[in-house]
Amino acid sequence: MSVATPIPARHKDVNRAKVCDDNFVEFVKAWDGRPGHRPAPDEAVLEGSHCSARDFLELFESQLVSRHLDLMARVLRVQQKVFYTIGSSGHEGNAMVARLTRHTDPAFLHYRSGGFMAERFRKLPDMDPVMDSALSFAASKDDPISGRHKGWGSKPLWVLPQTSTIASHLPKALGTAIAIEQAKRIGHALPIPDDSIAICSFGDASSNHATAQTAFNTAQWTAYQRLPAPVLFVCEDNGIGISVKTPGGWIGNAFRQRPGLDYFFADGLDLASGYGQVQAAVEHCRRTRRPTFLHLQTTRIMGHAGTDFEIEWRSFEELMAVEASDPLLRSAAIALESGLMGKDELLAKYEAMRARCFAAADEADRRPKLDDLAEVMAPLAPYTPDKVQAQATRNDFSERRLAVFGSEARLPENQAPKHLAIQINQALHDLFCQYPEALLFGEDVAQKGGVYTVTKGLHKAFRNARVFNTLLDETMILGLAQGYANVGLLPLPEIQYLAYFHNACDQIRGEACSLQFFSNGQFRNPMVMRIASLGYQRGFGGHFHNDNSITALRDIPGLVVGCPSRGDDAATMLRTMMALAKVDGRVCAFLEPIALYMTKDLYEPGDGQWLTAYPAPGEAMELGQERVYAPEATDLVIFSFGNGVPMSLRAARRIEASKGWKVRVVDLRWLQPLNADAIARHAGECKRILVVDEGRRSAGVGEGIITAVVEAGQGAKPLRRVVGEDTYTPLAGAAFLVIPSDDDIVTMAEGIP
């Protein structure tokens, strides 16, 4: 909305931030209207408005905070005192959303949320949005949320910091909304009021992103089943994404008629008219518990960021037209027309806020920066071994176990040795007894029990509130996991195959694993992600059921990756991963070798040597702890994991028979972080080294093992690698041409001097 008084034109001024700044001052000075009768604090600021005078004055102050933070950042960027200049100018109307929601409503915000943050800061005493923002802009060590990333965030205000500049925060925002309701169904005490809603803001351009669309689709899918999902999607529509314009009317046309996504429009450029519209959307979401889409009309002035010189690609006429829609001009007009402020008072308030922001920036610049590597990385991957071990070995749930398994005789540790799939299943039953807040979900995991029956019986034992199927969308499965974790639940999402994880990788890489780092440990989203993985399925299913690429997982900072090769290890590893999640908030990936699920034999058919006894509760595997076969052997050490372990054991027997060597086999079990000290120790104790990596030749686990060997000074020893090829897995017998075999291991070993 443009204001009635024309804005002076500055055709040739390159600095459009200065233009917008001058526009405000000159607009106020030139205003020649007649002020109305000054309304009382609780009266409407303008006739017919739902916004009171008190509401307006405080919202206007929040708008000024946001604007002068932007102007300050533009000036100080060139002095290397500010390191982030994507601003909120034109979006200050989002302060209305903050005012009309609670500080306990979890918020996942668009980067243009200066107005929202300034307004939400009012909800708790002794908090200063200007100083906190200045510390963030300056990457100060004293930044209350992080100092590692300029992202809006506050633990007391329930604003979870986002790294996303697109839309990857939408799935976890929806997940949090669903989690609020799910927690109540299982009797889990929420850290926020039971009628809270989740708020998620984003731009019009971001609404087109695949990650956004998966959240909208899931919201509709949920509402269609009449399941509650109290999420307020706030689309801040400024009509442009960096330089790409959104077609006029696109957002309204695309979202107004979506079934299950209740649409509201609000004028974010005008506090007087927009306030009641925002209020209607917020009240609807909280009352109905339905997904709600608030289309908030905004604009974008001063460019995308400080380095965006719009005059290079937009005409001055177009820029001036956009700048005339500046919401602060409309707010100034309301202040003057209503009689709430005179021109001198208004300009004094404007300049006082400028001075306050620059003073905060000067103070922030004097504060210490992060200058120690250990300090920078401290929140990334916290690990408290004693507490994790105590949690993993905790055994105070025997009564629940007896109720679930039926009797003492039926407890899994009292059964005959079993194969991997059954032992994982037994361990999951135990974990659900140990952790009442645990949830397991994914595709086909409930009544069917998973495509390999690994989750069989869990749904019957723990019912639909804790074990349930999701829609077929890996991105949303991991978004749900983050949402559940945000409210204190302990999720075990299942990704049906490793190849399917890549569809959703950024939910772990960019969102889940970054949260503790970018919040300095104040927020966390613990989870144990189970993934059916790897090859050796006799060519069935081709690539998508035999994916052997672990690289995308091992490259994620802070992620714990484990891969058991046998049933007892799977049980004790799961206990440790759940403890890591519970105690330290870690995100873990548990890779289950599909080809070993049902494997019973090792050397000969019927020998049963790959069956294992179930470890009773109280036993757990230390993070990074390897399993060693023939620890006394020193002629050759074979490092491997997953399917490579039984292959290496069979090959070791043949190598000993042909060459007379005593062969040590080391099952690394933990693939990220790799236990470099253990690798170095075993390499140092043995004469020859062989690495067996069922993954791909490039960027696989084997490269990490070899690096650990070489960096430990053991690279001069005879060192070889057996590894898969850099290709996708084909069907049928051709699959065995691209992955290692027992014969490959033996042949390689026989060539070692």
Side-chain angles (χ1 to χ4, degrees), residues 136-204:
S136 176
F137 289 15
S140 171
K141 181 179 177 179
D142 294 339
D143 173 15
I145 193 61
S146 175
R148 293 161 180 81
H149 178 72
K150 191 274 176 185
W152 302 112
S154 171
K155 178 64 172 178
L157 296 175
W158 269 91
V159 179
L160 290 79
Q162 306 308 308
T163 61
S164 171
T165 55
I166 41 170
S168 57
H169 58 303
L170 271 71
K172 64 180 178 182
L174 175 59
T176 302
I178 293 172
I180 291 169
E181 302 299 316
Q182 189 91 2
K184 291 185 284 188
R185 286 198 290 275
I186 68 170
H188 174 75
L190 285 166
I192 51 179
D194 285 358
D195 64 342
S196 296
I197 64 174
I199 304 160
C200 180
S201 60
F202 50 94
D204 50 293

Side-chain angles (χ1 to χ4, degrees), residues 7 30 52 76 135 140 147 151 234 283 320 383 427 492 497 662 686 699 718:
I7 306 302
S52 72
L76 297 185
L135 290 167
S140 171
V234 183
E283 290 179 352
M320 287 187 293
Y383 179 41
L492 286 123
Y497 290 98
K662 299 297 183 183
C686 297

